[in-house]
Amino acid sequence: MLRLHHHPMSAASRFVRLVLGEYGERPDFQEERPWERRREFIALNPAATLPVLIEDSGPPVVGGTVIAEYLDETRGVFQRDKRLLAEKPAERAEVRRLVEWFLVKLENEVTRYLVRERVFKQEMRAEEGGGPPDASAIRAARANLKHHMRYVGWLAESRNWLSGDRLSYADLAAAGALSILDYLGEIAWDQEPLAKEWYLRVKSRPSFRPLLAERVRGLAPVSHYADLDF
Amino acid sequence: MLRLHHHPMSAASRFVRLVLGEYGERPDFQEERPWERRREFIALNPAATLPVLIEDSGPPVVGGTVIAEYLDETRGVFQRDKRLLAEKPAERAEVRRLVEWFLVKLENEVTRYLVRERVFKQEMRAEEGGGPPDASAIRAARANLKHHMRYVGWLAESRNWLSGDRLSYADLAAAGALSILDYLGEIAWDQEPLAKEWYLRVKSRPSFRPLLAERVRGLAPVSHYADLDF
């Protein structure tokens, strides 16, 4: 049995949910608000970061990239042409580079700020860091996002899927993170038509449906969010 | 042939140098100052982060954790009991969790700030971000470091090596990062005697020698830095 501790606005959580969906796994979900530092959750992961996966009575598997490696070793390796991590070391390195790009670099330059300022601060109490959004943090994140979208456009132009010929972890990490920014209406898709075409292909996969159906309390998504043809 | 693009004050670079040393590899080294955004370097890695490994005429392998996976797949797998990443998926997940802890969490809460304020800012031109150190950033990083050292002490008390019974990537990531903070005289070893005992064991390995012999221009290390019995 699998249990995933996650949050709908955590990019790494969305990435892992997509991977589990592609591999046909249906975990139990436990939503965590990491800023609350729930005692049982800190015992699982003293870093208080998401996601955390528990399989049966095994130890916690902590973090998006670590869970992805675990799922490759326990599921992916048996998936033949549906495996989401390539076979050759150099190709695996390229998939992993892009996963880090979207779960670390995009996160540190864009996603973390927009989610904190526009979503989490509404839900946090004042002593947890809640309050009005910081306009300068939002502005800086939006400026950074333009560069990232240009890079996604360049990847989509150069390759069939982001890391090469096949759907891989790179596509799921990128689309998981971008789907959060899209929910918030932050992405100017018309400026990057090839990125949009690629995103529509990922978004149309059955593994994406649960994410598109989900709503954040008090915050409606942009009108095209769940459209498969926008 | 292996070529490593690195910087002596980059924790992920030190981690990879230790791994290469343990596996008996002697790469060519190219020192990069990432803030200069050297054009040939950006072509290898548009994220402009360190380290980057090139093998023969293969594509760049980018980032500490990605290089570690690449080296496990191309070297570690043949090393039997000297392999630095465990064999079982759950144990591999624990090693990776700790590598992320020291290369991402410690980096984002401590190392990045102390290195930027105390080292890089001296070398940067004003338009690159150089200037006098920011005392409040240094203070915050030092407060965070205490918590991290307590965690290292707890790991060293609970286990023989940080991730379990054998030397692993976790020890090399932790010791690589902490060796930078130690160079800067930031670590109060006497407050964590078990962490100190563990660090001395890692520091005594032949793979560590090149790091201990290295000096940053204009900045002498703390007096005990290279002692194997302090």
Side-chain angles (χ1 to χ4, degrees):
Chain A
M1 205 211 61
L2 289 170
R3 184 168 86 246
L4 186 73
H5 296 255
H6 79 114
H7 189 282
M9 292 280 115
S10 145
S13 297
R14 286 194 168 216
F15 165 53
V16 167
R17 289 165 68 193
L18 291 171
V19 174
L20 290 167
E22 290 291 329
Y23 286 161
E25 298 285 350
R26 297 165 176 272
D28 288 344
F29 289 105
Q30 162 94 43
E31 190 174 320
E32 294 289 345
R33 308 164 98 204
W35 63 86
E36 292 180 346
R37 303 184 65 82
R38 196 168 65 86
R39 199 207 287 212
E40 294 81 356
F41 178 57
I42 301 292
L44 290 179
N45 176 16
T49 51
L50 289 171
V52 176
L53 182 75
I54 316 271
E55 174 146 40
D56 300 325
S57 55
V61 183
V62 172
T65 57
V66 176
I67 294 172
E69 298 291 343
Y70 177 84
L71 292 174
D72 185 62
E73 290 163 2
T74 56
R75 273 75 173 175
V77 74
F78 308 113
Q79 296 279 333
R80 296 166 171 270
D81 62 333
K82 290 192 175 144
R83 187 175 185 178
L84 295 162
L85 187 52
E87 303 272 341
K88 292 180 190 156
E91 291 171 15
R92 291 165 73 83
E94 176 63 359
V95 173
R96 289 175 174 131
R97 178 182 77 85
L98 290 168
V99 170
E100 294 250 326
W101 187 290
F102 293 101
L103 297 191
V104 180
K105 188 174 167 65
L106 179 70
E107 178 77 17
N108 285 344
E109 296 174 358
V110 180
T111 322
R112 171 196 306 280
Y113 296 104
L114 291 172
V115 168
R116 190 185 62 200
E117 299 302 327
R118 295 197 50 207
V119 187
F120 290 171
K121 273 189 170 180
Q122 320 295 312
E123 301 195 25
M124 288 168 163
R125 292 194 304 263
E127 66 271 26
E128 292 167 334
D134 172 346
S136 72
I138 292 180
R139 209 158 39 232
R142 285 178 177 161
N144 291 337
L145 177 56
K146 280 193 196 145
H147 297 284
H148 280 279
M149 288 309 298
R150 219 166 294 145
Y151 190 54
V152 177
W154 178 83
L155 289 170
E157 185 179 347
S158 323
R159 303 163 173 186
N160 186 23
W161 297 94
L162 293 195
S163 69
D165 291 338
R166 271 168 47 182
L167 177 80
S168 79
Y169 280 168
D171 301 283
L172 303 182
L178 293 178
S179 70
I180 290 177
L181 299 169
D182 191 40
Y183 187 103
L184 298 174
E186 294 287 351
I187 301 189
W189 290 110
D190 291 343
Q191 290 179 18
E192 296 293 342
L194 293 168
K196 180 179 175 180
E197 186 275 326
W198 158 82
Y199 182 65
L200 277 177
R201 264 188 290 145
V202 185
K203 187 179 166 180
S204 303
R205 301 185 69 84
S207 64
F208 230 92
R209 270 180 222 147
L211 277 62
L212 298 177
E214 206 167 50
R215 293 295 173 267
V216 177
R217 197 170 31 182
L219 185 69
V222 71
S223 60
H224 66 246
Y225 175 66
D227 287 359
L228 297 182
D229 175 27
F230 72 103
Chain B
M1 205 213 60
L2 290 170
R3 186 170 82 247
L4 186 73
H5 296 254
H6 79 113
H7 189 283
M9 291 282 113
S10 145
S13 297
R14 286 193 168 216
F15 165 53
V16 168
R17 289 165 68 193
L18 291 172
V19 174
L20 289 167
E22 290 290 330
Y23 285 161
E25 298 285 350
R26 295 165 177 271
D28 288 344
F29 290 104
Q30 162 96 45
E31 189 174 320
E32 295 288 345
R33 307 164 97 203
W35 62 87
E36 292 180 346
R37 302 185 65 83
R38 197 169 64 86
R39 198 207 285 209
E40 294 81 359
F41 178 58
I42 301 293
L44 291 179
N45 176 16
T49 50
L50 288 171
V52 176
L53 182 74
I54 317 272
E55 174 144 40
D56 301 326
S57 56
V61 183
V62 172
T65 56
V66 176
I67 294 173
E69 297 291 345
Y70 178 83
L71 292 175
D72 186 61
E73 289 163 2
T74 56
R75 272 75 173 176
V77 75
F78 307 114
Q79 296 280 331
R80 297 166 171 271
D81 61 333
K82 290 192 175 144
R83 188 175 185 178
L84 295 162
L85 188 51
E87 304 272 342
K88 292 180 189 155
E91 292 171 13
R92 291 165 73 82
E94 175 64 359
V95 173
R96 289 175 175 131
R97 177 182 77 84
L98 290 169
V99 170
E100 294 250 326
W101 187 291
F102 293 101
L103 297 190
V104 180
K105 187 173 166 66
L106 180 70
E107 179 76 16
N108 285 344
E109 295 174 358
V110 180
T111 323
R112 173 196 305 281
Y113 296 104
L114 291 173
V115 167
R116 191 185 65 201
E117 299 303 327
R118 296 198 47 205
V119 186
F120 289 173
K121 274 191 169 177
Q122 320 295 315
E123 300 195 24
M124 289 169 162
R125 292 194 305 263
E127 65 271 27
E128 293 167 334
D134 174 343
S136 71
I138 291 180
R139 210 160 34 234
R142 285 178 177 161
N144 291 336
L145 177 55
K146 279 191 198 145
H147 297 284
H148 281 278
M149 288 309 298
R150 219 165 295 146
Y151 190 54
V152 176
W154 178 83
L155 289 170
E157 184 177 347
S158 324
R159 304 162 172 187
N160 185 21
W161 298 93
L162 293 194
S163 69
D165 290 338
R166 270 167 49 180
L167 178 81
S168 79
Y169 281 169
D171 301 285
L172 303 181
L178 293 179
S179 70
I180 291 177
L181 298 169
D182 191 41
Y183 187 104
L184 298 174
E186 293 287 353
I187 302 188
W189 289 111
D190 290 342
Q191 290 178 19
E192 294 295 342
L194 293 168
K196 179 178 175 179
E197 185 277 325
W198 157 83
Y199 181 65
L200 276 178
R201 263 189 291 147
V202 185
K203 188 179 167 182
S204 303
R205 299 184 70 83
S207 64
F208 229 91
R209 273 181 219 145
L211 277 62
L212 297 178
E214 208 167 49
R215 293 295 172 269
V216 178
R217 199 170 28 184
L219 186 68
V222 71
S223 60
H224 65 247
Y225 174 65
D227 288 358
L228 297 182
D229 176 26
F230 72 103

